[in-house]
Amino acid sequence: MFRKNFIMSLIENILILLVVTFVFYSSQSLSTQKTIYVPQGSITNIISQLHKKGYEVSIIDRYILSFLGQPQSGWVDIGSTRLNRIDFLYKLATAKAKMEEITLIPGETTVLFFEDIAATLELNASKLQQFYNQDADYPEAGIYADTYYVPFGINEEQLVTFLLKESTKQFQKISHKIYGTYDKKQWLRLLTVASIIQKEAANVEEMPLVSSVIYNRLKKGMPLQMDGTLNYGKYSHIKVTPDRIRNDKSRFNTYKYKGLPPSPIGAVSFDAIIAAIKPAQTDYLYFMKNKQGTHDFTKSYQTHRRNILKAR
């Protein structure tokens, strides 16, 4: 009887000691960053990697974390720099990945887009452009104009790979719906037309009309003579002047060269793509911006000249 009571008492004391030890261990304060990177892999690997990075975690935390749940990999928002151990592990198990929002505005060029997001995400714009040139199917417009959410801490190669992959999905989806297939050569021409529409149209309603002017002039063998084609690359927001038209020797100068530019001049939206696929059925050959900020369209050069005079 005495022996039985002794054993029971010993077990109780051991349990109390374990509970007290656990409470003491779990309530210890732990230093952390507000945002930390959680590697992919098992919980054992996560704890091991955190330990290597200076976090005061141990094998015990592996079992606690296993009970709390599987952490999401990537950059996660912990929200505080000082937590007790249980709160830290709970945050680790339940925190959502920290995401950054980036937007490619329709009509923008990759060089300016990369400069903008490089500043926002603290990346290297030259590396972004390098990976784009290496992997993109199209010299320009390979990234669909849209808003994207990317993990905090993403590097240049990962970001470009993600943007190109998501954009290709969109292009393939649209192309398969319209044509039943996706041909890169055909899509390059389409993106080139769409990018001109994107630069020239004052609004979505005008896009099919601008598209019709492009196709009508191409059909007649007329030069496009559109300022927007000279807003390529670093010239995205530079006003096109008579001097620029005279001196730009590139194939993007549609005043000097007939036909389409060699490649798209900027990012395109869904509306511009659809307008390039389905132009309005018109005989328009000219358009001129009016004082209201929209365009007057005409098939007559004489009327076009009058529209120019009215706009001055």
Short mmCIF file of all heavy atoms in Angstrom, two decimals, residues 35-90:
data_model
loop_
_atom_site.label_atom_id
_atom_site.label_comp_id
_atom_site.label_asym_id
_atom_site.label_seq_id
_atom_site.Cartn_x
_atom_site.Cartn_y
_atom_site.Cartn_z
N THR A 35 8.15 40.35 -39.88
CA THR A 35 7.95 39.51 -41.05
C THR A 35 9.11 38.54 -41.15
O THR A 35 10.27 38.97 -41.14
CB THR A 35 7.87 40.35 -42.34
OG1 THR A 35 6.85 41.32 -42.19
CG2 THR A 35 7.56 39.48 -43.54
N ILE A 36 8.83 37.24 -41.22
CA ILE A 36 9.90 36.26 -41.31
C ILE A 36 9.65 35.31 -42.47
O ILE A 36 8.51 35.15 -42.92
CB ILE A 36 10.07 35.45 -39.99
CG1 ILE A 36 8.85 34.54 -39.76
CG2 ILE A 36 10.29 36.36 -38.81
CD1 ILE A 36 9.05 33.59 -38.59
N TYR A 37 10.73 34.70 -42.93
CA TYR A 37 10.62 33.76 -44.04
C TYR A 37 10.53 32.34 -43.50
O TYR A 37 11.38 31.88 -42.74
CB TYR A 37 11.83 33.87 -44.97
CG TYR A 37 11.72 32.95 -46.17
CD1 TYR A 37 10.87 33.27 -47.22
CD2 TYR A 37 12.43 31.76 -46.22
CE1 TYR A 37 10.74 32.43 -48.31
CE2 TYR A 37 12.32 30.91 -47.31
CZ TYR A 37 11.47 31.25 -48.36
OH TYR A 37 11.33 30.42 -49.44
N VAL A 38 9.47 31.64 -43.89
CA VAL A 38 9.26 30.25 -43.49
C VAL A 38 9.62 29.36 -44.67
O VAL A 38 8.98 29.43 -45.72
CB VAL A 38 7.80 29.99 -43.07
CG1 VAL A 38 7.60 28.52 -42.67
CG2 VAL A 38 7.39 30.91 -41.94
N PRO A 39 10.64 28.52 -44.54
CA PRO A 39 11.06 27.67 -45.67
C PRO A 39 10.04 26.57 -45.95
O PRO A 39 9.23 26.21 -45.08
CB PRO A 39 12.39 27.08 -45.19
CG PRO A 39 12.27 27.06 -43.71
CD PRO A 39 11.48 28.30 -43.35
N GLN A 40 10.07 26.04 -47.15
CA GLN A 40 9.22 24.91 -47.49
C GLN A 40 9.76 23.65 -46.81
O GLN A 40 10.94 23.56 -46.49
CB GLN A 40 9.18 24.70 -49.01
CG GLN A 40 8.39 25.76 -49.76
CD GLN A 40 8.28 25.44 -51.23
OE1 GLN A 40 9.17 24.82 -51.80
NE2 GLN A 40 7.20 25.86 -51.86
N GLY A 41 8.88 22.69 -46.61
CA GLY A 41 9.32 21.41 -46.05
C GLY A 41 8.59 21.06 -44.77
O GLY A 41 7.59 21.67 -44.40
N SER A 42 9.11 20.05 -44.09
CA SER A 42 8.48 19.55 -42.87
C SER A 42 8.66 20.53 -41.73
O SER A 42 9.48 21.45 -41.78
CB SER A 42 9.10 18.20 -42.49
OG SER A 42 10.48 18.40 -42.15
N ILE A 43 7.88 20.30 -40.66
CA ILE A 43 8.00 21.14 -39.46
C ILE A 43 9.40 21.00 -38.86
O ILE A 43 9.98 21.98 -38.38
CB ILE A 43 6.91 20.77 -38.44
CG1 ILE A 43 5.55 21.25 -38.95
CG2 ILE A 43 7.20 21.37 -37.07
CD1 ILE A 43 4.37 20.88 -38.09
N THR A 44 9.95 19.81 -38.91
CA THR A 44 11.33 19.60 -38.42
C THR A 44 12.30 20.48 -39.18
O THR A 44 13.19 21.12 -38.58
CB THR A 44 11.73 18.12 -38.59
OG1 THR A 44 10.84 17.30 -37.84
CG2 THR A 44 13.16 17.90 -38.10
N ASN A 45 12.14 20.55 -40.50
CA ASN A 45 13.01 21.39 -41.32
C ASN A 45 12.81 22.88 -41.00
O ASN A 45 13.78 23.64 -40.94
CB ASN A 45 12.73 21.15 -42.80
CG ASN A 45 13.59 22.02 -43.71
OD1 ASN A 45 14.81 21.95 -43.67
ND2 ASN A 45 12.96 22.85 -44.50
N ILE A 46 11.57 23.29 -40.79
CA ILE A 46 11.26 24.69 -40.47
C ILE A 46 11.94 25.10 -39.17
O ILE A 46 12.61 26.14 -39.10
CB ILE A 46 9.74 24.90 -40.38
CG1 ILE A 46 9.10 24.75 -41.77
CG2 ILE A 46 9.41 26.28 -39.80
CD1 ILE A 46 7.59 24.70 -41.76
N ILE A 47 11.79 24.27 -38.14
CA ILE A 47 12.41 24.56 -36.83
C ILE A 47 13.93 24.60 -36.96
O ILE A 47 14.60 25.47 -36.41
CB ILE A 47 11.97 23.53 -35.78
CG1 ILE A 47 10.47 23.65 -35.47
CG2 ILE A 47 12.79 23.69 -34.50
CD1 ILE A 47 10.07 24.99 -34.86
N SER A 48 14.46 23.67 -37.73
CA SER A 48 15.91 23.60 -37.92
C SER A 48 16.44 24.86 -38.61
O SER A 48 17.45 25.44 -38.21
CB SER A 48 16.28 22.37 -38.74
OG SER A 48 17.66 22.35 -39.06
N GLN A 49 15.74 25.31 -39.65
CA GLN A 49 16.16 26.50 -40.40
C GLN A 49 16.02 27.76 -39.55
O GLN A 49 16.88 28.65 -39.61
CB GLN A 49 15.33 26.64 -41.68
CG GLN A 49 15.58 25.56 -42.72
CD GLN A 49 17.03 25.52 -43.18
OE1 GLN A 49 17.64 26.55 -43.43
NE2 GLN A 49 17.59 24.31 -43.26
N LEU A 50 14.96 27.84 -38.76
CA LEU A 50 14.79 29.00 -37.88
C LEU A 50 15.90 29.05 -36.83
O LEU A 50 16.41 30.13 -36.49
CB LEU A 50 13.42 28.96 -37.20
CG LEU A 50 12.20 29.24 -38.09
CD1 LEU A 50 10.91 29.03 -37.31
CD2 LEU A 50 12.25 30.64 -38.67
N HIS A 51 16.27 27.88 -36.32
CA HIS A 51 17.34 27.79 -35.33
C HIS A 51 18.66 28.28 -35.94
O HIS A 51 19.43 29.02 -35.28
CB HIS A 51 17.48 26.36 -34.82
CG HIS A 51 18.56 26.19 -33.79
ND1 HIS A 51 18.45 26.67 -32.50
CD2 HIS A 51 19.80 25.61 -33.88
CE1 HIS A 51 19.56 26.39 -31.83
NE2 HIS A 51 20.39 25.75 -32.64
N LYS A 52 18.93 27.90 -37.18
CA LYS A 52 20.15 28.32 -37.85
C LYS A 52 20.19 29.82 -38.07
O LYS A 52 21.27 30.42 -38.13
CB LYS A 52 20.29 27.60 -39.19
CG LYS A 52 20.63 26.12 -39.08
CD LYS A 52 20.72 25.47 -40.45
CE LYS A 52 21.03 23.97 -40.33
NZ LYS A 52 21.08 23.32 -41.67
N LYS A 53 19.00 30.43 -38.18
CA LYS A 53 18.93 31.87 -38.40
C LYS A 53 18.94 32.66 -37.09
O LYS A 53 18.74 33.88 -37.10
CB LYS A 53 17.68 32.21 -39.21
CG LYS A 53 17.76 31.72 -40.66
CD LYS A 53 16.50 32.08 -41.42
CE LYS A 53 16.60 31.59 -42.86
NZ LYS A 53 15.39 31.91 -43.65
N GLY A 54 19.14 31.96 -35.96
CA GLY A 54 19.29 32.65 -34.69
C GLY A 54 18.06 32.65 -33.80
O GLY A 54 18.08 33.25 -32.72
N TYR A 55 16.99 32.00 -34.23
CA TYR A 55 15.79 31.93 -33.39
C TYR A 55 15.99 30.89 -32.29
O TYR A 55 16.53 29.81 -32.54
CB TYR A 55 14.56 31.59 -34.23
CG TYR A 55 14.06 32.75 -35.06
CD1 TYR A 55 14.61 33.01 -36.33
CD2 TYR A 55 13.09 33.61 -34.58
CE1 TYR A 55 14.17 34.09 -37.08
CE2 TYR A 55 12.65 34.69 -35.34
CZ TYR A 55 13.20 34.92 -36.58
OH TYR A 55 12.77 36.01 -37.31
N GLU A 56 15.55 31.23 -31.08
CA GLU A 56 15.75 30.36 -29.91
C GLU A 56 14.67 29.28 -29.87
O GLU A 56 13.80 29.26 -28.99
CB GLU A 56 15.75 31.20 -28.64
CG GLU A 56 16.89 32.22 -28.62
CD GLU A 56 16.78 33.17 -27.44
OE1 GLU A 56 15.83 33.02 -26.63
OE2 GLU A 56 17.63 34.06 -27.33
N VAL A 57 14.71 28.39 -30.84
CA VAL A 57 13.73 27.30 -30.91
C VAL A 57 14.48 25.97 -30.76
O VAL A 57 15.68 25.88 -31.03
CB VAL A 57 12.94 27.33 -32.23
CG1 VAL A 57 12.01 28.54 -32.27
CG2 VAL A 57 13.89 27.36 -33.44
N SER A 58 13.75 24.94 -30.35
CA SER A 58 14.37 23.65 -30.10
C SER A 58 13.47 22.52 -30.58
O SER A 58 12.39 22.75 -31.14
CB SER A 58 14.63 23.48 -28.60
OG SER A 58 13.40 23.34 -27.91
N ILE A 59 13.90 21.30 -30.35
CA ILE A 59 13.14 20.13 -30.76
C ILE A 59 11.77 20.09 -30.11
O ILE A 59 10.81 19.57 -30.66
CB ILE A 59 13.93 18.84 -30.47
CG1 ILE A 59 13.26 17.64 -31.16
CG2 ILE A 59 14.07 18.61 -28.97
CD1 ILE A 59 14.09 16.37 -31.10
N ILE A 60 11.67 20.66 -28.89
CA ILE A 60 10.37 20.70 -28.20
C ILE A 60 9.36 21.50 -29.02
O ILE A 60 8.19 21.14 -29.13
CB ILE A 60 10.52 21.31 -26.79
CG1 ILE A 60 11.45 20.44 -25.95
CG2 ILE A 60 9.17 21.47 -26.11
CD1 ILE A 60 11.80 21.05 -24.60
N ASP A 61 9.84 22.57 -29.63
CA ASP A 61 8.95 23.43 -30.41
C ASP A 61 8.41 22.70 -31.64
O ASP A 61 7.35 23.04 -32.15
CB ASP A 61 9.70 24.69 -30.83
CG ASP A 61 10.12 25.52 -29.64
OD1 ASP A 61 9.26 25.86 -28.82
OD2 ASP A 61 11.34 25.80 -29.51
N ARG A 62 9.15 21.72 -32.11
CA ARG A 62 8.66 20.93 -33.25
C ARG A 62 7.35 20.24 -32.89
O ARG A 62 6.40 20.22 -33.69
CB ARG A 62 9.72 19.89 -33.63
CG ARG A 62 9.35 19.08 -34.87
CD ARG A 62 10.34 17.96 -35.11
NE ARG A 62 10.15 16.88 -34.13
CZ ARG A 62 10.86 15.76 -34.12
NH1 ARG A 62 11.83 15.59 -35.01
NH2 ARG A 62 10.64 14.83 -33.24
N TYR A 63 7.28 19.68 -31.66
CA TYR A 63 6.08 18.98 -31.24
C TYR A 63 4.94 19.94 -30.95
O TYR A 63 3.77 19.65 -31.26
CB TYR A 63 6.39 18.12 -30.01
CG TYR A 63 7.40 17.03 -30.30
CD1 TYR A 63 8.71 17.14 -29.85
CD2 TYR A 63 7.05 15.91 -31.05
CE1 TYR A 63 9.65 16.15 -30.13
CE2 TYR A 63 7.98 14.92 -31.33
CZ TYR A 63 9.27 15.04 -30.87
OH TYR A 63 10.20 14.08 -31.17
N ILE A 64 5.27 21.09 -30.37
CA ILE A 64 4.24 22.09 -30.11
C ILE A 64 3.65 22.60 -31.43
O ILE A 64 2.43 22.70 -31.59
CB ILE A 64 4.81 23.28 -29.29
CG1 ILE A 64 5.34 22.80 -27.95
CG2 ILE A 64 3.75 24.36 -29.10
CD1 ILE A 64 6.06 23.88 -27.15
N LEU A 65 4.55 22.88 -32.39
CA LEU A 65 4.11 23.38 -33.69
C LEU A 65 3.30 22.33 -34.45
O LEU A 65 2.32 22.67 -35.14
CB LEU A 65 5.33 23.81 -34.51
CG LEU A 65 5.06 24.60 -35.79
CD1 LEU A 65 4.22 25.84 -35.51
CD2 LEU A 65 6.38 25.00 -36.46
N SER A 66 3.66 21.07 -34.30
CA SER A 66 2.90 20.00 -34.95
C SER A 66 1.47 19.96 -34.44
O SER A 66 0.53 19.68 -35.19
CB SER A 66 3.58 18.64 -34.70
OG SER A 66 4.86 18.59 -35.27
N PHE A 67 1.32 20.25 -33.16
CA PHE A 67 -0.02 20.27 -32.55
C PHE A 67 -0.82 21.48 -33.04
O PHE A 67 -2.03 21.39 -33.27
CB PHE A 67 0.12 20.32 -31.03
CG PHE A 67 -1.20 20.46 -30.32
CD1 PHE A 67 -2.05 19.37 -30.17
CD2 PHE A 67 -1.58 21.68 -29.79
CE1 PHE A 67 -3.27 19.51 -29.52
CE2 PHE A 67 -2.80 21.83 -29.14
CZ PHE A 67 -3.64 20.73 -29.00
N LEU A 68 -0.13 22.62 -33.24
CA LEU A 68 -0.82 23.86 -33.62
C LEU A 68 -1.17 23.90 -35.10
O LEU A 68 -2.16 24.52 -35.50
CB LEU A 68 0.07 25.07 -33.28
CG LEU A 68 0.31 25.31 -31.79
CD1 LEU A 68 1.35 26.42 -31.61
CD2 LEU A 68 -0.98 25.67 -31.08
N GLY A 69 -0.38 23.25 -35.94
CA GLY A 69 -0.68 23.23 -37.38
C GLY A 69 0.54 23.44 -38.24
O GLY A 69 1.61 23.82 -37.76
N GLN A 70 0.40 23.22 -39.54
CA GLN A 70 1.49 23.35 -40.51
C GLN A 70 1.60 24.80 -40.97
O GLN A 70 0.66 25.37 -41.51
CB GLN A 70 1.24 22.46 -41.73
CG GLN A 70 2.26 22.60 -42.85
CD GLN A 70 3.63 22.03 -42.48
OE1 GLN A 70 3.72 20.99 -41.83
NE2 GLN A 70 4.68 22.71 -42.91
N PRO A 71 2.76 25.44 -40.77
CA PRO A 71 2.93 26.82 -41.21
C PRO A 71 2.88 26.95 -42.73
O PRO A 71 3.22 26.02 -43.45
CB PRO A 71 4.33 27.20 -40.68
CG PRO A 71 4.61 26.21 -39.61
CD PRO A 71 3.92 24.95 -40.04
N GLN A 72 2.48 28.11 -43.19
CA GLN A 72 2.48 28.42 -44.62
C GLN A 72 3.88 28.87 -45.01
O GLN A 72 4.49 29.68 -44.32
CB GLN A 72 1.47 29.53 -44.92
CG GLN A 72 1.32 29.84 -46.40
CD GLN A 72 0.18 30.81 -46.65
OE1 GLN A 72 -0.69 30.99 -45.82
NE2 GLN A 72 0.19 31.46 -47.82
N SER A 73 4.40 28.34 -46.11
CA SER A 73 5.77 28.71 -46.51
C SER A 73 5.78 30.09 -47.15
O SER A 73 4.75 30.60 -47.61
CB SER A 73 6.32 27.68 -47.48
OG SER A 73 5.55 27.64 -48.66
N GLY A 74 6.95 30.70 -47.17
CA GLY A 74 7.11 32.04 -47.72
C GLY A 74 7.23 33.08 -46.61
O GLY A 74 7.39 32.75 -45.44
N TRP A 75 7.15 34.33 -47.00
CA TRP A 75 7.20 35.42 -46.02
C TRP A 75 5.86 35.54 -45.32
O TRP A 75 4.82 35.67 -45.97
CB TRP A 75 7.56 36.72 -46.71
CG TRP A 75 8.98 36.77 -47.18
CD1 TRP A 75 9.44 36.41 -48.41
CD2 TRP A 75 10.12 37.18 -46.42
NE1 TRP A 75 10.81 36.57 -48.46
CE2 TRP A 75 11.25 37.04 -47.25
CE3 TRP A 75 10.29 37.64 -45.11
CZ2 TRP A 75 12.53 37.36 -46.83
CZ3 TRP A 75 11.59 37.96 -44.69
CH2 TRP A 75 12.68 37.83 -45.54
N VAL A 76 5.87 35.46 -43.99
CA VAL A 76 4.63 35.56 -43.22
C VAL A 76 4.72 36.72 -42.24
O VAL A 76 5.80 37.09 -41.78
CB VAL A 76 4.30 34.25 -42.46
CG1 VAL A 76 4.08 33.11 -43.43
CG2 VAL A 76 5.41 33.90 -41.47
N ASP A 77 3.58 37.29 -41.96
CA ASP A 77 3.50 38.46 -41.10
C ASP A 77 3.24 38.03 -39.66
O ASP A 77 2.15 37.60 -39.32
CB ASP A 77 2.37 39.37 -41.60
CG ASP A 77 2.37 40.73 -40.94
OD1 ASP A 77 3.31 40.99 -40.15
OD2 ASP A 77 1.46 41.52 -41.19
N ILE A 78 4.26 38.14 -38.79
CA ILE A 78 4.13 37.78 -37.38
C ILE A 78 3.48 38.92 -36.61
O ILE A 78 2.73 38.71 -35.67
CB ILE A 78 5.51 37.44 -36.78
CG1 ILE A 78 6.10 36.21 -37.50
CG2 ILE A 78 5.40 37.17 -35.28
CD1 ILE A 78 5.29 34.94 -37.36
N GLY A 79 3.79 40.15 -37.00
CA GLY A 79 3.10 41.31 -36.43
C GLY A 79 3.72 41.91 -35.18
O GLY A 79 3.26 42.94 -34.69
N SER A 80 4.73 41.27 -34.61
CA SER A 80 5.35 41.79 -33.39
C SER A 80 6.81 41.33 -33.34
O SER A 80 7.18 40.34 -33.98
CB SER A 80 4.60 41.30 -32.15
OG SER A 80 5.21 41.78 -30.97
N THR A 81 7.63 42.05 -32.57
CA THR A 81 9.05 41.67 -32.46
C THR A 81 9.36 40.96 -31.15
O THR A 81 10.47 40.51 -30.93
CB THR A 81 9.94 42.91 -32.58
OG1 THR A 81 9.58 43.85 -31.56
CG2 THR A 81 9.77 43.57 -33.94
N ARG A 82 8.35 40.88 -30.27
CA ARG A 82 8.58 40.21 -28.97
C ARG A 82 7.31 39.46 -28.58
O ARG A 82 6.25 40.06 -28.38
CB ARG A 82 8.92 41.24 -27.89
CG ARG A 82 9.61 40.67 -26.66
CD ARG A 82 11.06 40.40 -26.95
NE ARG A 82 11.71 39.65 -25.86
CZ ARG A 82 12.94 39.20 -25.92
NH1 ARG A 82 13.66 39.39 -27.01
NH2 ARG A 82 13.48 38.54 -24.92
N LEU A 83 7.42 38.13 -28.48
CA LEU A 83 6.28 37.29 -28.14
C LEU A 83 6.73 36.19 -27.20
O LEU A 83 7.91 35.81 -27.19
CB LEU A 83 5.69 36.65 -29.41
CG LEU A 83 5.05 37.56 -30.46
CD1 LEU A 83 4.86 36.78 -31.75
CD2 LEU A 83 3.72 38.10 -29.97
N ASN A 84 5.77 35.65 -26.41
CA ASN A 84 6.15 34.44 -25.69
C ASN A 84 6.15 33.28 -26.68
O ASN A 84 5.62 33.38 -27.78
CB ASN A 84 5.24 34.18 -24.48
CG ASN A 84 3.82 33.82 -24.87
OD1 ASN A 84 3.59 32.94 -25.70
ND2 ASN A 84 2.85 34.49 -24.27
N ARG A 85 6.77 32.20 -26.30
CA ARG A 85 7.01 31.10 -27.23
C ARG A 85 5.73 30.55 -27.85
O ARG A 85 5.66 30.30 -29.06
CB ARG A 85 7.77 29.98 -26.50
CG ARG A 85 8.30 28.88 -27.40
CD ARG A 85 9.15 27.91 -26.60
NE ARG A 85 10.31 28.60 -26.06
CZ ARG A 85 11.45 28.79 -26.74
NH1 ARG A 85 11.57 28.33 -27.97
NH2 ARG A 85 12.46 29.41 -26.17
N ILE A 86 4.70 30.34 -27.02
CA ILE A 86 3.44 29.78 -27.52
C ILE A 86 2.81 30.73 -28.53
O ILE A 86 2.34 30.30 -29.60
CB ILE A 86 2.46 29.49 -26.37
CG1 ILE A 86 2.91 28.24 -25.62
CG2 ILE A 86 1.04 29.29 -26.89
CD1 ILE A 86 2.84 26.95 -26.42
N ASP A 87 2.80 32.03 -28.22
CA ASP A 87 2.22 33.00 -29.16
C ASP A 87 3.00 33.03 -30.46
O ASP A 87 2.43 33.13 -31.55
CB ASP A 87 2.20 34.40 -28.53
CG ASP A 87 1.12 34.54 -27.47
OD1 ASP A 87 0.19 33.71 -27.47
OD2 ASP A 87 1.21 35.47 -26.65
N PHE A 88 4.34 32.93 -30.37
CA PHE A 88 5.17 32.92 -31.57
C PHE A 88 4.86 31.71 -32.44
O PHE A 88 4.65 31.83 -33.66
CB PHE A 88 6.65 32.92 -31.19
CG PHE A 88 7.57 32.69 -32.36
CD1 PHE A 88 7.80 33.70 -33.28
CD2 PHE A 88 8.20 31.46 -32.55
CE1 PHE A 88 8.64 33.49 -34.38
CE2 PHE A 88 9.03 31.25 -33.63
CZ PHE A 88 9.26 32.26 -34.55
N LEU A 89 4.79 30.54 -31.82
CA LEU A 89 4.51 29.31 -32.59
C LEU A 89 3.10 29.32 -33.15
O LEU A 89 2.86 28.82 -34.27
CB LEU A 89 4.74 28.09 -31.70
CG LEU A 89 6.20 27.85 -31.26
CD1 LEU A 89 6.27 26.74 -30.23
CD2 LEU A 89 7.09 27.54 -32.46
N TYR A 90 2.16 29.90 -32.40
CA TYR A 90 0.78 29.98 -32.89
C TYR A 90 0.72 30.91 -34.10
O TYR A 90 0.06 30.60 -35.10
CB TYR A 90 -0.15 30.49 -31.79
CG TYR A 90 -1.58 30.67 -32.25
CD1 TYR A 90 -2.42 29.57 -32.41
CD2 TYR A 90 -2.08 31.94 -32.54
CE1 TYR A 90 -3.72 29.72 -32.87
CE2 TYR A 90 -3.38 32.10 -32.98
CZ TYR A 90 -4.19 30.99 -33.15
OH TYR A 90 -5.48 31.16 -33.58
#
